[in-house]
Amino acid sequence: MNSFGELDIHLKIPDLWQQDALHHIKAGEDVVVNAPTGAGKTYLVELIAESKRSGQIVLAVPTRALANDKLREFRAKGWRVGIVTGDVAIDPDAPIVVATLETQKPRFLRGQGPQLFVIDEYQMIGDEARGVNYELCVALAPPQTQLLLLSGSVSNPQDMVDWLMRLGRKAQLISVKKRPVPLEEIHLDALSFNPPRTVTGFWPRLIARALMADLGPILVFAPQRKGAESLARQLAAALPIENPLALSSEQKRLAGGTLEKLLNKRVAYHHSGLSYQQRAGLVEPLAKAGQLRIVVSTTGLAAGVNFSMRSVLVTESQFTLGSVQQLIQPDELLQMFGRAGRRGFDEVGYALVAPDRPRLREGKQRPVRRPKLLDWPSLIGILDVACEQGIEPFSQVVEACHRLLGETPAKVGVEHGIRFPNTPCGLQVDAERARYATANSEEFLNSQGAWEPRRERVSLPLSKLHVLSEGAVVPALERPSVIKAIGGGKPFRMGKRLGKKRLIGFFDKRKKGRVQLASWLLDSFAECGSEVSKRCDLDALDSLPWEMVPDCGELVDTKREGFRLFGVFDLASLVFEADVDVFGVALYEPQTRRAYPLECQGCPQRAVCEGELSSARSPALAWRQLGLVEADGHPTLRGRIFSFFQGGEGLAIAAALEDESYAVDAIARDIANLRAGYRFDDYSSYSHRISRACRVAYQDRSYDGYLRHGLPLHYGDGAAEVIAEWADSVGKGKKLLGDNLKFGDVQRARQEWLSLLRHIVNAPSLEFERWIELQACAKAILAVDDQRLLAEELPKLEPSQLGRVEHRLRFPRKW
């Protein structure tokens, strides 16, 4: 019951902040809204839609599921609403369009846009994967397009306003501190309610306490799909059935056996393994209507949960994404707890806390920073447009990057090349210039006093080596400077050539003819693993392992000087690395110098290229390494194909098309793997050819955000086989399902595949026969099977499912 008693009347009156934001929008200004979850950010969009008389509004949401949900909500108001996602484009010229943001980027690249562009959850700008698209859309939004940015988990919204103003736009910040439904933390183990002993298990008993305290309905976040399902079953089995939920025959068919039994007990799980129809047609609408007592959702899908409940419980502080454990970030935790409290239904929302589990205070706003990556496909698209218009391409990309978030412009890696374009090498990419100027090649001064390139060195005895001295070539053994540099001791004349005189040891005063070996000699023998006695007879000196002593040579004579004994060593047989010049003369340690390329030798920029420019990988260098652009910035055919797509999928498609032996119809089939992920690996048999094409083109290279070991980041073998098996026979396809692979995974992979095919069909044409053939092949597949996930195809709730439901748990006496 609310303040209107049994009448259950809900009046929507705009809050002051909504009125303020509406005023600024009408004044033609951009608006950044910082308001908590549930404050009414979406209602602001509705107010704007009702007040605007002309011009298009595009609402960009993070997921396709949310786009479908908003489509249904807006159409229920009798509005003309279109939708544009990767799956579908229906009425894109409608006054109101809900869309995924990436679909709007091509408009902005062409300098076009709607009258009002609304970005819901603009904190996505900082997302590692998708942030580059969000950032570039804001940066390239034309002046005639107003921007409305919405979020509740950003700690630096003023930075967004400053960014917009730096771009020459008028922008205002609307900040809302107070939640419309206050949020309180409740420790479950402190509740005085105790369920019967028949309720067993850690979570069932704690959640039963919460329900007995009238804190339901409860949204529970669990770390993994399997864990979410298991917990939902535990809760449904442990808690009594009160007022079971009656489902229609259509809803039962859609739910399937397991989910139907849970829904009957007003319990559900929510994860990506469910089909879209199960999530958006059953779980979410029933939860929104207050029909479900408990919903267990995976933390990884938290951003896609499109409903709120009275209480929220987060069971773990980390979750599994693929095979990697990831910590829940403070702003993600804030969004999860922000789902507690339904405006118009609850006076207070509750963050439920269990021992050693995430607390409400751990949920915090986080600053939005520029993503680490740049949007390579879009930037190469800008290069292509500039080339068509006859404009210097790299300068256009640098100008676009100057418009990105942050005071310090993002580096492309061509900034110096643009400032100093006319150099003999003709290279525009800074890292290429640095690497070219500091190439690891040397020259040496040969026997004729001329410089020649240094080649692979050879090993030769010192007796065959020469040195260049005062313009003359002399044997190395005749030069004192050479002998001094080899080992210890002093040079010793041995006829024309020189040897070494080195201390061997000291004569033993007690025993004639015995020598105590010098410490340097004992240390040398020890280091080379030879056990030699400290004392040695004179006639046994020749038998010592002299060859094992570094730079020692052959002992040829001994000389006594008082109580000391010196050895005379011939160095002729010592082996050294030498440079053999074009005249066949082997030179010992000739003079060398760095061999600059011919273009660099007289270039005034050589010192800058060598000492100031970084040779580290930059975006521009990566494009060159991947074969996406020419040296002057003109995109290659591979680069143009890449620019049509998001992420690394365009790289894979381009590589496949370059393999002339790879049939185009097989490519169209195998691209189902590009966004599939890891869950299909067990079913791979033939579709891995597309991964082989990638590895041929890109080897094992990794580029953040685009390639990992030569493959797109979300690549997964086997999806093409599973989709083909399902199309051949639904029965055969169902046999492939198990704990790791769910129907929702197959449905999602299929939708991603069809989305890629639509993307190919709608992409620009190229004068490339295999690309034209791929577009025709994709169009033919879609003509036969163009299954789409549309909101209007979802079943409507039954009349009995629209009223209020009591969720307080009262255990029967016999329970």
Side-chain angles (χ1 to χ4, degrees):
M1 182 181 295
N2 58 19
S3 57
F4 293 94
E6 296 298 328
L7 293 176
D8 197 25
I9 297 175
H10 301 286
L11 298 178
K12 276 195 172 182
I13 300 175
D15 293 338
L16 289 177
W17 72 266
Q18 292 169 330
Q19 297 176 41
D20 194 16
L22 184 60
H23 169 74
H24 288 296
I25 291 293
K26 287 183 176 180
E29 298 172 318
D30 295 344
V31 175
V32 177
V33 173
N34 188 44
T37 302
K41 295 187 289 292
T42 304
Y43 181 52
L44 172 60
V45 179
E46 296 178 16
L47 290 174
I48 296 170
E50 290 173 345
S51 65
K52 271 189 172 292
R53 300 188 180 276
S54 63
Q56 187 184 58
I57 299 174
V58 172
L59 171 60
V61 295
T63 66
R64 299 171 191 173
L66 288 175
N68 274 287
D69 191 74
K70 292 301 176 187
L71 175 71
R72 188 157 69 164
E73 282 186 16
F74 291 162
R75 284 187 173 178
K77 298 177 179 293
W79 297 347
R80 179 189 166 194
V81 184
I83 183 170
V84 181
T85 67
D87 292 330
V88 64
I90 297 176
D91 201 6
D93 297 321
I96 303 173
V97 172
V98 289
T100 48
L101 181 135
E102 286 82 356
T103 63
Q104 301 303 298
K105 190 169 59 174
R107 299 176 70 179
F108 293 131
L109 289 173
R110 297 192 301 269
Q112 303 169 0
Q115 183 175 345
L116 177 65
F117 188 56
V118 185
I119 301 180
D120 192 20
E121 308 295 355
Y122 76 83
Q123 74 274 6
M124 290 289 292
I125 290 173
D127 184 75
E128 290 185 4
R130 300 177 64 192
V132 292
N133 297 300
Y134 278 74
E135 183 187 28
L136 201 65
C137 276
V138 174
L140 298 183
Q144 67 271 19
T145 294
Q146 284 181 263
L147 296 175
L148 174 58
L149 309 184
L150 307 174
S151 181
S153 57
V154 174
S155 64
N156 61 333
Q158 184 60 46
D159 289 351
M160 301 298 107
V161 174
D162 295 342
W163 176 30
L164 295 176
M165 295 181 71
R166 179 168 63 82
L167 296 177
R169 309 178 69 92
K170 294 182 180 180
Q172 297 290 336
L173 173 64
I174 304 294
S175 189
V176 184
K177 301 294 184 182
K178 187 177 179 181
R179 278 176 53 97
V181 180
L183 191 58
E184 296 181 4
E185 183 177 270
I186 290 184
H187 291 257
L188 292 175
D189 56 350
L191 293 174
S192 58
F193 297 89
N194 285 309
R197 293 180 180 179
T198 51
V199 178
T200 60
F202 178 76
W203 290 119
R205 288 192 64 82
L206 287 180
I207 291 175
R209 283 184 171 189
L211 292 173
M212 293 173 73
D214 197 22
L215 299 179
I218 303 174
L219 174 58
V220 182
F221 285 109
Q224 300 179 38
R225 294 187 344 183
K226 192 173 181 180
E229 286 191 34
S230 175
L231 181 54
R233 291 194 186 97
Q234 287 181 50
L235 296 172
L239 304 180
I241 302 176
E242 296 178 347
N243 185 21
L245 176 62
L247 300 177
S248 68
S249 57
E250 174 64 14
Q251 289 174 325
K252 290 179 180 179
R253 182 194 64 78
L254 196 59
T258 301
L259 187 58
E260 178 192 346
K261 292 177 181 177
L262 294 177
L263 289 173
N264 184 253
K265 297 183 178 182
R266 299 190 183 274
V267 176
Y269 53 85
H270 185 277
H271 60 58
S272 60
L274 291 174
S275 69
Y276 167 72
Q277 291 85 350
Q278 288 173 322
R279 292 198 313 270
L282 280 177
V283 177
E284 292 179 10
L286 287 171
K288 284 182 181 180
Q291 293 289 310
L292 300 181
R293 172 181 281 173
I294 302 169
V295 177
V296 186
S297 175
T298 49
T299 51
L301 204 64
V305 174
N306 195 27
F307 54 85
S308 296
M309 301 177 80
R310 176 175 292 178
S311 301
V312 168
L313 169 65
V314 182
T315 62
E316 297 290 346
S317 59
Q318 60 185 12
F319 64 97
T320 302
L321 185 61
S323 58
V324 180
Q325 287 284 339
Q326 296 193 355
L327 289 175
I328 299 174
Q329 297 300 315
D331 60 324
E332 295 170 333
L333 197 60
L334 181 66
Q335 283 192 310
M336 292 179 193
F337 281 129
R339 291 292 172 188
R342 300 161 296 175
R343 188 172 186 175
F345 292 93
D346 301 315
E347 294 183 358
V348 179
Y350 300 100
L352 305 183
V353 176
D356 301 320
R357 297 305 193 276
R359 300 280 302 273
L360 177 59
R361 67 187 181 196
E362 296 172 23
K364 299 177 182 178
Q365 293 180 328
R366 198 166 60 161
V368 171
R369 299 284 184 250
R370 176 197 298 153
K372 295 179 182 179
L373 307 177
L374 290 175
D375 186 353
W376 292 2
S378 296
L379 294 180
I380 291 177
I382 292 174
L383 291 177
D384 198 25
V385 172
C387 292
E388 290 178 0
Q389 298 174 350
I391 304 173
E392 201 290 312
F394 278 137
S395 62
Q396 295 299 104
V397 167
V398 170
E399 183 178 337
C401 289
H402 274 253
R403 297 180 61 83
L404 298 179
L405 178 61
E407 293 295 330
T408 305
K411 296 289 186 180
V412 180
V414 293
E415 287 74 12
H416 184 266
I418 290 173
R419 289 170 53 209
F420 302 95
N422 300 317
T423 53
C425 67
L427 298 173
Q428 298 296 306
V429 176
D430 296 345
E432 281 192 305
R433 286 188 176 187
R435 294 184 179 196
Y436 191 66
T438 58
N440 190 23
S441 60
E442 290 182 307
E443 294 177 327
F444 71 96
L445 201 61
N446 67 18
S447 59
Q448 298 298 314
W451 293 99
E452 68 172 75
R454 198 173 195 182
R455 293 172 291 276
E456 185 177 356
R457 307 183 81 188
V458 297
S459 298
L460 292 172
L462 190 60
S463 60
K464 295 186 177 181
L465 303 187
H466 298 76
V467 293
L468 190 63
S469 176
E470 299 178 356
V473 177
V474 298
L477 286 172
E478 295 181 12
R479 295 296 301 166
S481 58
V482 173
I483 303 304
K484 286 180 181 180
I486 300 174
K490 297 180 179 180
F492 186 83
R493 177 65 61 180
M494 300 171 56
K496 286 188 175 182
R497 61 183 181 174
L498 296 171
K500 270 290 182 77
K501 185 176 79 168
R502 304 183 71 174
L503 177 66
I504 292 178
F506 307 89
F507 286 99
D508 194 332
K509 295 180 180 180
R510 296 181 181 180
K511 189 173 182 179
K512 190 177 181 180
R514 174 168 289 192
V515 177
Q516 181 173 329
L517 299 180
S519 58
W520 75 266
L521 190 55
L522 291 171
D523 291 341
S524 296
F525 285 134
E527 288 176 4
C528 62
S530 179
E531 295 184 6
V532 175
S533 175
K534 293 182 179 181
R535 292 175 174 81
C536 180
D537 293 334
L538 281 174
D539 55 3
L541 286 175
D542 289 340
S543 63
L544 293 178
W546 297 104
E547 71 279 359
M548 300 182 69
V549 180
D551 296 335
C552 184
E554 179 185 357
L555 180 64
V556 295
D557 195 4
T558 57
K559 293 189 176 294
R560 180 170 184 166
E561 294 182 8
F563 63 90
R564 294 181 295 177
L565 181 66
F566 289 87
V568 177
F569 295 91
D570 186 356
L571 307 183
S573 61
L574 291 180
V575 175
F576 293 92
E577 294 288 311
D579 293 279
V580 179
D581 66 13
V582 292
F583 304 102
V585 178
L587 296 172
Y588 173 81
E589 298 298 333
Q591 184 180 347
T592 61
R593 71 179 185 184
R594 174 170 288 160
Y596 290 100
L598 183 62
E599 297 89 344
C600 298
Q601 291 177 12
C603 180
Q605 289 295 312
R606 189 187 76 186
V608 176
C609 295
E610 183 180 13
E612 297 181 23
L613 296 186
S614 172
S615 61
R617 182 191 288 171
S618 64
L621 180 62
W623 303 342
R624 293 281 292 134
Q625 291 172 335
L626 290 168
L628 303 178
V629 299
E630 303 288 357
D632 59 359
H634 282 65
T636 62
L637 178 61
R638 179 189 289 181
R640 295 183 69 189
I641 293 173
F642 169 66
S643 72
F644 298 158
F645 297 90
Q646 309 290 340
E649 58 205 29
L651 294 172
I653 292 172
L657 290 173
E658 290 168 12
D659 182 356
E660 296 284 346
S661 66
Y662 197 171
V664 171
D665 58 345
I667 296 174
R669 174 199 66 203
D670 295 346
I671 61 175
N673 293 350
L674 297 185
R675 297 175 177 172
Y678 67 96
R679 296 187 182 274
F680 299 86
D681 290 351
D682 292 341
Y683 309 100
S684 176
S685 60
Y686 53 77
S687 64
H688 56 271
R689 182 164 184 185
I690 195 168
S691 67
R692 189 164 67 245
C694 285
R695 292 270 167 71
V696 169
Y698 313 115
Q699 289 84 50
D700 196 44
R701 291 174 176 168
S702 293
Y703 294 84
D704 289 345
Y706 296 95
L707 288 179
R708 183 181 294 118
H709 299 300
L711 298 176
L713 302 192
H714 302 294
Y715 181 85
D717 279 323
E721 287 88 336
V722 172
I723 291 172
E725 191 85 0
W726 206 279
D728 183 53
S729 168
V730 174
K732 289 170 63 178
K734 287 183 177 179
K735 292 180 181 179
L736 302 177
L737 302 181
D739 289 340
N740 190 52
L741 186 66
K742 303 289 186 182
F743 174 68
D745 299 317
V746 180
Q747 185 186 53
R748 177 186 55 81
R750 183 177 184 78
Q751 287 303 126
E752 293 290 357
W753 174 54
L754 295 175
S755 175
L756 270 175
L757 294 178
R758 293 187 202 100
H759 200 99
I760 291 169
V761 169
N762 296 321
S765 182
L766 292 173
E767 293 182 6
F768 177 33
E769 184 178 348
R770 284 173 61 79
W771 171 254
I772 296 171
E773 189 179 345
L774 180 62
Q775 286 186 307
C777 190
K779 189 173 184 179
I781 294 173
L782 292 172
V784 175
D785 183 2
D786 195 9
Q787 179 187 356
R788 300 177 180 184
L789 303 178
L790 300 178
E792 52 261 37
E793 296 175 357
L794 301 175
K796 294 183 179 181
L797 295 183
E798 296 294 303
S800 62
Q801 298 168 348
L802 299 176
R804 291 289 192 88
V805 177
E806 175 67 46
H807 292 294
R808 184 193 294 272
L809 187 60
R810 298 178 177 86
F811 285 94
R813 292 182 180 179
K814 295 183 179 180
W815 178 260

